[in-house]
Amino acid sequence: MESVIDPSGVCPPPSLAIVVPCYNEEEVLSDSAEELLNVVAGLEADGRIHAASKIYFVDDGSRDATWPIMQHLAQENPRIVAVALSRNRGHQNALYAGLSQTSEDMVVSIDADLQDGPENIAAMIDAFSAGNEVVFGVRTERETDTWFKRMTAEGYYRVMQRLGVDLVFNHADFRLMSRRAVDTLLEYPETNLFLRGMVRELGFRSTSVSYARRRRLAGESKYPLRRMLSLAWRGVTAYSIAPLRAITVLGLLAGTVSLALIAWVLGVKIFSGSAVPGWASIMVPVLFIGSVQLLCLGVIGEYLGKIYEEVKRRPRYHLREVVGHFQSVPDSSRNDRSIARRCLVRLPEDI
């Protein structure tokens, strides 16, 4: 099937949305906004994106001046949309909230510290124009991270892959998605979001863009070890039943060790006259089996907790305020964006 062409013979470029989840980012927000605006202006000047493109900053219940800065940016620049959640809901929910506010043809998600350089968005758009609906940003160099950060991050990806979770190695949440991919992702009803796995599950044609990670503009990372471990465990429990299967293996091993201990105790009792009743032969198997049982109950409890949260069907977040929404865009621009989507993105039959 051939791509639909505008009757005027000119295909307008696709519109772009950049979604930036923020939590206590007052130190970097102004500089990040300026750099992103420059990138968008450059892409528009090159004819890669439509003039109706926007930047969506999402405040995830920050406790500093992040939201006032966002409001000021949105009031000063019509290209910026500021979205505030009613309270802190976590990075994944804030990103999801930003995605749900967009209407553009392409959506790029990026962290506020801009360590995943926005200069790579141009290459992502080129990959999108070539027919890819998802473009993953893949870190090839992490020299700006500490040794511990690099080792734990890369180890995390390897462990997840061994557990059967379909992830792109060294990809975080810097990616470009087509409008269709975003709309499909928004249909997923999970409460426990793990977007890195969910995007891979969409199945649309995808590729990757490699880049070297930059230094943070200012401030500190909002993903300390505790949050990293929480995200890792969420990914495991959301996309793998390997821990549940490990319980079976652990139970078999515990049973084998227990049988060996029983055989040893009986052997000493029957074939040796020097057997002295003691607490060791009782306490060892009791403590061993007890610890295994508690571990197994803990793993099962984690999965039951996830089920409990899912069946309640509570909203992932609540919007408190939106400043500079896309509704201010003229209807003619929306029509142009629709034409751009039909012109530049090949339909499924073409791919």
Side-chain angles (χ1 to χ4, degrees), residues 95-116:
L95 177 53
Y96 189 96
L99 295 176
S100 69
Q101 292 296 303
T102 64
S103 62
E104 287 73 17
D105 303 314
M106 307 175 291
V107 182
V108 170
S109 56
I110 190 171
D111 290 338
D113 56 22
L114 300 189
Q115 285 189 273
D116 304 314

Side-chain angles (χ1 to χ4, degrees), residues 156-157 160-161 165-169 171 194 196-197 200:
Y156 157 74
Y157 288 107
M160 293 289 280
Q161 289 174 345
V165 183
D166 186 14
L167 289 181
V168 177
F169 189 79
H171 163 71
F194 185 65
R196 302 177 193 184
R200 284 286 287 175

